[in-house]
Amino acid sequence: MFKAVLLEKNDAGFHAGVSQIDESRLPEGDVLVAVEYSTLNYKDALAITNTGPVVRNWPMVPGIDGAGTILESNHPDWRVGEGFILNGWGVGETHWGCLAERARLKGDWLVPLPAWFTTRQAMAIGTAGYTAMLSVMALQDHFARKGTKHDDGEVLVTGATGGVGSVAIALLAKMGYRVVASTGKASEADYLRTLGAQAVIDRAELGTPGKPLQKERWIGIVDCVGSHTLVNALAQTRYGGAVAACGLTQGGD
Ligand SMILES: NC(=O)c1ccc[n+]([C@@H]2O[C@H](COP(=O)([O-])OP(=O)(O)OC[C@H]3O[C@@H](n4cnc5c(N)ncnc54)[C@H](OP(=O)(O)O)[C@@H]3O)[C@@H](O)[C@H]2O)c1
């Protein structure tokens, strides 16, 4: 038996609670894992409060990410006792997730826990930090292909105080880029500068319909906001620049 958050929806309605579950109820997979840490991602919050169409199969154990240790493995790449990290792959949506002491997952979904991280640190970075790094790596790939240098111009990060945006700022600044943070929270400007932003702009500058071509400013953008913000940011992207768009907090329009 193991402890897990269990979400149920049936004739009696929706119910979320902590349950004792028998391991025989775990879904199919080629690795059984002990989950040591998970995060409370936005998707998990939607699932647990039944306020968004995140859960596709019922009942569901939420938890879209996790880190822990392999307990059993039928996968060629994974041995008992190894540390893993999982982000996404529909876990917590279509496949029982990591807000649980145990999970049965596909070995192909897991990445090895680097020796210099604890499972707790890996989940402190979480899927938000992972998304930020993927976005920054996408920009780096593009810059390398184009021969763009750190001091060629500014990189914009929208949704700056959020989970993805804040990590993206810290990563880009540490790598030596000139980062401009776009935020709706003027009171957080000092925090954003502490993370490494060289300038902070009001998100209202980007949030309403603008012209399709605007003054070129950004060599790169990590956009967490979508909607008009993404359209304006694209219109201000320098020729040969790149945008990593990973979010829709302003809207899906
Ligand atoms: N977290 C993940 O694991 C993950 C993974 C993949 C994709 N995403 C997507 O990336 C986006 C950001 O995720 P997150 O975890 O960073 O979310 P978050 O922590 O809630 O941050 C989102 C930020 O967006 C800004 N924002 C909120 N409402 C806005 C609005 N109406 N107009 C303009 N800006 C607004 C706010 O930043 P300011 O107050 O600083 O403006 C807020 O802090 C989401 O769309 C999410 O679905 C997230």
Side-chain angles (χ1 to χ4, degrees):
M1 298 289 279
F2 65 95
K3 215 176 347 173
V5 176
L6 189 67
L7 310 179
E8 294 169 289
K9 200 182 244 182
N10 48 39
D11 293 344
F14 172 79
H15 179 261
V18 176
S19 300
Q20 288 288 339
I21 300 178
D22 193 276
E23 272 182 25
S24 64
R25 289 186 65 192
L26 284 168
E28 286 188 10
D30 46 20
V31 288
L32 175 71
V33 302
V35 181
E36 290 161 21
Y37 288 94
S38 178
T39 72
L40 195 57
N41 194 275
Y42 190 68
K43 275 186 183 167
D44 299 322
L46 291 177
I48 291 169
T49 54
N50 194 31
T51 45
V54 169
V55 175
R56 307 291 174 176
N57 304 321
W58 302 92
M60 179 56 61
V61 173
I64 69 152
D65 52 20
T69 310
I70 307 290
L71 294 177
E72 293 171 12
S73 174
N74 291 315
H75 189 283
D77 294 348
W78 290 100
R79 290 195 187 77
V80 172
E82 288 180 329
F84 75 91
I85 302 171
L86 169 101
N87 300 94
W89 294 98
V91 172
E93 301 175 60
T94 56
H95 187 100
W96 280 17
C98 293
L99 287 172
E101 291 171 322
R102 296 283 180 275
R104 191 173 287 121
L105 303 166
K106 292 196 177 160
D108 286 351
W109 296 341
L110 310 183
V111 292
L113 178 74
W116 51 91
F117 277 135
T118 64
T119 48
R120 187 172 190 271
Q121 287 169 327
M123 282 297 103
I125 293 166
T127 304
Y130 181 69
T131 304
M133 190 71 215
L134 290 176
S135 302
V136 169
M137 286 167 66
L139 290 188
Q140 277 188 304
D141 280 353
H142 180 83
F143 292 158
R145 276 199 305 276
K146 291 280 176 186
T148 307
K149 297 187 191 57
H150 293 79
D151 53 2
D152 280 350
E154 297 166 309
V155 178
L156 173 70
V157 176
T158 64
T161 63
V164 178
S166 57
V167 179
I169 291 169
L171 290 169
L172 288 161
K174 189 87 178 165
M175 290 170 182
Y177 292 102
R178 299 209 312 261
V179 183
V180 176
S182 167
T183 183
K185 301 184 189 85
S187 58
E188 298 298 324
D190 285 346
Y191 161 66
L192 294 169
R193 287 201 178 85
T194 309
L195 290 179
Q198 293 200 357
V200 178
I201 62 171
D202 186 337
R203 75 182 187 203
E205 286 182 32
L206 296 163
T208 52
K211 292 182 182 159
L213 285 178
Q214 301 176 31
K215 189 161 182 269
E216 291 183 22
R217 181 165 179 189
W218 318 110
I219 57 168
I221 298 172
V222 175
D223 177 58
C224 308
V225 169
S227 189
H228 297 302
T229 299
L230 175 57
V231 175
N232 285 317
L234 283 165
Q236 296 174 8
T237 301
R238 282 171 41 174
Y239 185 76
V243 181
C246 65
L248 297 167
T249 54
Q250 190 182 3
D253 53 320

